[in-house]
Amino acid sequence: AVLPQGEQVVAVCDAYEDRAQKGAGLVEKAGQARPSVYLDYLDVVRDEKVNTIIVATAWESHVEIALAAMYAVEVGGSYSLKACYDLVEGYEKTGTPFMFLENCCFGRREMMALNMVKKGLFGEVVHCAGGYQHDLRSEIAFGKENRHYRLRNYLSRNCENYPTHDLGPIAKVLDINRGNRMLTLCSTASK
């Protein structure tokens, strides 16, 4: 099936060849021509058929890949505060459209809560709390075997590793950047 907007997936990339080939197979299964398969994201950036890049990688590489695309293609998430500034600077220098594709804004529960807020069922919302609440046992316990980036992050970083999962839906509920702005934010972590 062709996507409703007529997009074509012309390239897939993964550092692991088996995953890249699996991605190409999924594109074919969806009724499109087999895309180019790359193991290095720079090959995607250089591919003249590519005009949009979706970065769905380990957190550490989001900004690196996004910046490469912004500077090289007429077109991720961030791993540090400096990386956030790098993305803003990259956008300001290139004018390349960029957006964080935070999928948790569109989950069934999140959309239900947002709908209830918009209908006024909770009154005025003045406080929100969130957390990265997923069952990740298989990705962490078998992270080495599955080659999953979460394992190294949970072993070496004592923090909220994926804050946009919380902040994205909360920002929608509070109309952040639509008349409101964040004044304070508190994040805690424990063993």
Side-chain angles (χ1 to χ4, degrees), residues 23-175:
L26 290 171
V27 172
E28 281 185 305
K29 188 175 179 182
Q32 293 190 12
R34 187 167 184 84
S36 298
V37 176
Y38 299 115
L39 303 180
D40 184 338
Y41 71 87
L42 292 174
D43 292 328
V44 176
V45 169
R46 292 182 199 110
D47 188 327
E48 292 182 7
K49 297 178 303 228
V50 173
N51 63 20
T52 301
I53 294 177
I54 297 173
V55 181
T57 63
W59 302 316
E60 302 97 325
S61 59
H62 282 184
V63 171
E64 175 186 336
I65 295 169
L67 287 171
M70 291 170 92
Y71 284 110
V73 177
E74 294 182 25
V75 204
S78 175
Y79 205 59
S80 69
L81 186 59
K82 182 189 178 311
C84 291
Y85 283 103
D86 290 344
L87 283 173
V88 171
E89 183 180 311
Y91 172 75
E92 289 172 347
K93 284 183 178 177
T94 65
T96 302
F98 176 84
M99 75 173 266
F100 287 108
L101 190 60
E102 178 46 67
N103 60 336
C104 275
C105 291
F106 307 101
R108 183 176 177 83
R109 288 176 295 180
E110 292 85 357
M111 293 297 289
M112 177 190 69
L114 178 61
N115 186 44
M116 294 169 78
V117 167
K118 297 295 183 196
K119 290 184 181 277
L121 297 176
F122 303 124
E124 181 184 4
V125 178
V126 296
H127 173 83
C128 291
Y132 190 56
Q133 302 167 352
H134 296 290
D135 181 354
L136 300 173
R137 288 177 289 188
S138 66
E139 293 172 5
I140 296 170
F142 299 103
K144 189 172 182 178
E145 295 84 355
N146 295 334
R147 302 165 297 178
H148 206 288
Y149 64 91
R150 281 196 176 100
L151 175 63
R152 66 178 173 268
N153 280 278
Y154 281 93
L155 287 175
S156 64
R157 302 178 79 210
N158 185 22
C159 64
E160 162 55 294
N161 275 301
Y162 208 159
T164 57
H165 265 23
D166 322 346
L167 291 176
I170 287 171
K172 290 178 73 84
V173 163
L174 297 176
D175 285 328

